[in-house]
């Protein structure tokens, strides 16, 4: 930007503006070959229809709505800046820099940029300038089963990727975007990986608490303890069964009145009583069964919607993949819990 915009724009908005302007330039853009390989549309949750967002697991649905609001807010706050670009364009900037153009540019950046620190520039706001689009590099696909090291080499001034995984001649080379579960992959990149070893199913605080009596006099104190020690979030079922965090939260909530004073020991991983252990495992099995039924119900809804709404088919297929993977994890967890419960009785 040759202009000194006041107030200065964020590096993110500058990159969005660049993408929209170059795409609008079409044949005249020196970046045309790169722009031609970019997806025309994205499947990030922010781009999904409300009907589809409703079918996502609760924690992801919340994040998807937050993502949508963030793009809407960026668009609202950038309108004046886009208008000020009018002298550079023959066409109305309102039609060039419209909401769907910004959504496309934001998704391009969110799904494809690599992290790269740039020196602070006067023309930009104080927000971190860490985005870089790397044509060709972003054609590499993700696999959860490979190990890579990737970074910008200051000496050679080039971005380097080193792999620790073997790759056969003529086979596709994969990179790993990180040990992300499927909810994170869908949120940030708009896809789901089947048989993802990092995948897990989240238990929301509401689901957790509905298995404990509101008549328990210490219930409020137990919830406070879990909240204070950050044990109400990131409670999951994985391929290996309920996570240690989930079982710990269940053990605290299962404490009898006479055991309540021992809550600190539970957070440290100690056993208070066989009854407490057994109750926690039993409740984990009930929650797992509830989530299995809920997932099956959503999969049924998806198959009905796929018949009724042809236009939503690609998006529904994505949520179906996510939910099917969830079902596999929950069924595996149920099996593990069944064996554990049999072992404790």
């Amino acid at each position: 930007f040759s202009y000194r915009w006041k107030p200065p724009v964020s590096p993110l908005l500058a990159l969005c503006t660049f993408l929209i302007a170059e795409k609008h330039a079409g044949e005249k853009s020196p970046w045309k070959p790169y722009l031609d390989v970019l997806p025309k549309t994205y499947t990030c949750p922010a781009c999904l229809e409300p009907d589809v967002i409703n079918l996502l697991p609760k924690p992801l649905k919340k994040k998807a709505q937050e993502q949508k609001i963030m793009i809407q807010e960026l668009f609202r706050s950038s309108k004046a800046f886009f208008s000020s670009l009018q002298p550079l364009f023959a066409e109305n900037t309102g039609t060039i820099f419209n909401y769907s153009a910004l959504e496309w540019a934001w998704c391009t950046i969110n799904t494809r940029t690599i992290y790269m620190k740039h020196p602070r520039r006067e023309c930009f706001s104080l927000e971190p300038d860490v985005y870089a689009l790397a044509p060709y590099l972003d054609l590499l696909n993700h696999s959860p089963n490979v190990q890579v090291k990737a970074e910008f080499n200051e000496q050679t001034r080039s971005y380097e990727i080193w792999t620790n995984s073997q790759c056969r001649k003529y086979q596709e080379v994969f990179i790993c975007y990180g040990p992300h579960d499927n909810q994170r992959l869908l949120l940030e990149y708009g896809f789901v990986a089947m048989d993802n070893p990092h995948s897990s199913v989240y238990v929301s605080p509401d689901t957790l608490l509905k298995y404990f009596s509101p008549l328990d006099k210490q219930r409020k104190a137990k919830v406070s303890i879990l909240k204070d020690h950050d044990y109400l979030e990131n409670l999951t079922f994985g391929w290996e069964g309920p996570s240690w965090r989930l079982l710990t939260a269940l053990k605290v909530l299962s404490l009898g009145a006479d055991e309540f004073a021992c809550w600190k020991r539970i957070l440290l991983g100690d056993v208070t009583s066989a009854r407490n252990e057994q109750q926690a495992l039993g409740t984990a099995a009930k929650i797992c069964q509830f989530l299995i039924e809920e997932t099956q119900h959503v999969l049924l809804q998806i198959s009905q919607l796929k018949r009724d709404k042809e236009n939503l088919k690609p998006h529904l297929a994505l949520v179906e993949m996510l939910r099917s993977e969830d079902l596999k994890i929950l069924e595996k967890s149920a099996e593990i819990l069944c064996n554990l419960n049999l072992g404790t009785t």
Side-chain angles (χ1 to χ4, degrees):
F1 290 106
S2 53
Y3 294 87
R4 295 273 182 239
W5 299 109
K6 293 283 175 270
V9 296
S10 68
L12 173 68
L13 181 58
L15 200 45
C16 283
T17 307
F18 166 79
L19 284 169
I20 298 166
E22 292 300 322
K23 193 181 183 196
H24 174 71
E27 298 288 333
K28 297 191 193 87
S29 170
W31 293 94
K32 187 182 184 305
Y34 175 58
L35 294 167
D36 284 349
V37 299
L38 293 177
K40 303 285 174 273
T41 56
Y42 287 94
T43 47
C44 303
C47 310
L48 304 179
E49 293 289 326
D51 282 355
V52 181
I53 289 178
N54 270 331
L55 299 164
L56 295 171
K58 253 190 212 152
L60 183 58
K61 182 177 162 180
K62 187 168 170 273
K63 286 183 179 140
Q65 286 161 338
E66 285 165 5
Q67 195 179 68
K68 228 182 179 69
I69 290 164
M70 194 175 74
I71 301 172
Q72 286 165 351
E73 186 46 42
L74 179 66
F75 181 63
R76 194 197 57 73
S77 62
S78 310
K79 273 187 167 164
F81 168 65
F82 291 146
S83 299
S84 71
L85 300 174
Q86 191 57 71
L88 305 173
F89 296 92
E91 259 173 84
N92 183 343
T93 49
T95 49
I96 302 167
F97 297 93
N98 58 28
Y99 182 77
S100 67
L102 182 71
E103 185 182 74
W104 170 83
W106 186 89
C107 288
T108 298
I109 292 164
N110 198 54
T111 57
R112 304 178 102 77
T113 51
I114 51 173
Y115 181 91
M116 186 177 160
K117 244 179 153 37
H118 304 287
R120 164 101 180 89
R121 278 180 282 188
E122 284 301 305
C123 59
F124 291 146
S125 68
L126 293 170
E127 284 171 66
D129 190 358
V130 291
Y131 309 97
L133 282 168
Y136 189 70
L137 167 65
D138 63 11
L139 294 173
L140 288 162
N141 285 321
H142 165 83
S143 165
N145 306 310
V146 300
Q147 284 185 314
V148 294
K149 192 176 127 213
E151 62 187 5
F152 185 74
N153 184 328
E154 289 293 347
Q155 272 69 49
T156 60
R157 301 298 296 158
S158 59
Y159 196 86
E160 296 173 358
I161 298 174
W162 299 82
T163 179
N164 298 328
S165 308
Q166 285 194 329
C167 186
R168 295 169 71 89
K169 194 176 179 180
Y170 304 124
Q171 293 295 303
E172 181 176 359
V173 178
F174 287 98
I175 60 172
C176 182
Y177 299 169
H180 303 320
D181 63 39
N182 276 343
Q183 295 203 19
R184 175 87 188 271
L185 286 175
L186 184 55
L187 184 73
E188 302 294 351
Y189 304 103
F191 70 85
V192 169
M194 293 311 277
D195 300 317
N196 181 352
H198 309 296
S199 250
S200 45
V201 179
Y202 290 80
V203 179
S204 70
D206 315 349
T207 304
L208 180 78
L209 294 172
K210 73 175 189 208
Y211 290 89
F212 295 92
S213 167
L215 302 174
D216 174 6
K217 289 186 171 64
Q218 288 149 329
R219 179 184 158 116
K220 214 171 173 177
K222 290 172 182 173
V223 174
S224 281
I225 289 163
L226 293 177
K227 219 179 195 139
D228 294 347
H229 294 83
D230 193 28
Y231 272 90
L232 276 181
E233 299 296 323
N234 290 331
L235 308 177
T236 54
F237 287 102
W239 296 107
E240 269 126 41
S243 68
W244 189 81
R245 285 174 63 82
L246 174 58
L247 286 176
T248 303
L250 289 170
K251 285 175 194 176
V252 170
L253 289 166
S254 303
L255 284 169
D258 54 333
E259 304 170 317
F260 183 63
C262 305
W263 65 264
K264 274 190 182 146
R265 279 176 44 201
I266 287 186
L267 294 185
L268 294 170
D270 285 351
V271 173
T272 46
S273 67
R275 184 210 59 81
N276 179 270
E277 295 282 308
Q278 206 173 331
Q279 196 182 329
L281 287 173
T283 311
K286 282 181 199 162
I287 294 173
C288 189
Q289 192 50 44
F290 164 76
L291 291 172
I292 285 174
E293 286 164 21
E294 187 186 59
T295 307
Q296 286 169 333
H297 175 66
V298 172
L299 283 165
L300 199 64
Q301 279 179 286
I302 292 171
S303 58
Q304 284 167 345
L305 268 173
K306 274 167 88 178
R307 281 199 299 272
D308 302 341
K309 301 206 172 181
E310 193 65 35
N311 60 321
L312 296 181
K313 250 187 173 168
H315 291 173
L316 288 167
L318 201 58
V319 184
E320 188 171 39
M321 270 176 80
L322 179 77
R323 290 293 199 161
S324 304
E325 188 86 342
D326 282 0
L327 190 58
K328 278 198 271 183
I329 291 167
L330 290 165
E331 283 169 344
K332 186 87 182 84
S333 286
E335 194 186 313
I336 291 166
L337 279 162
C338 181
N339 294 333
L340 284 172
N341 278 314
L342 287 172
T344 57
T345 48

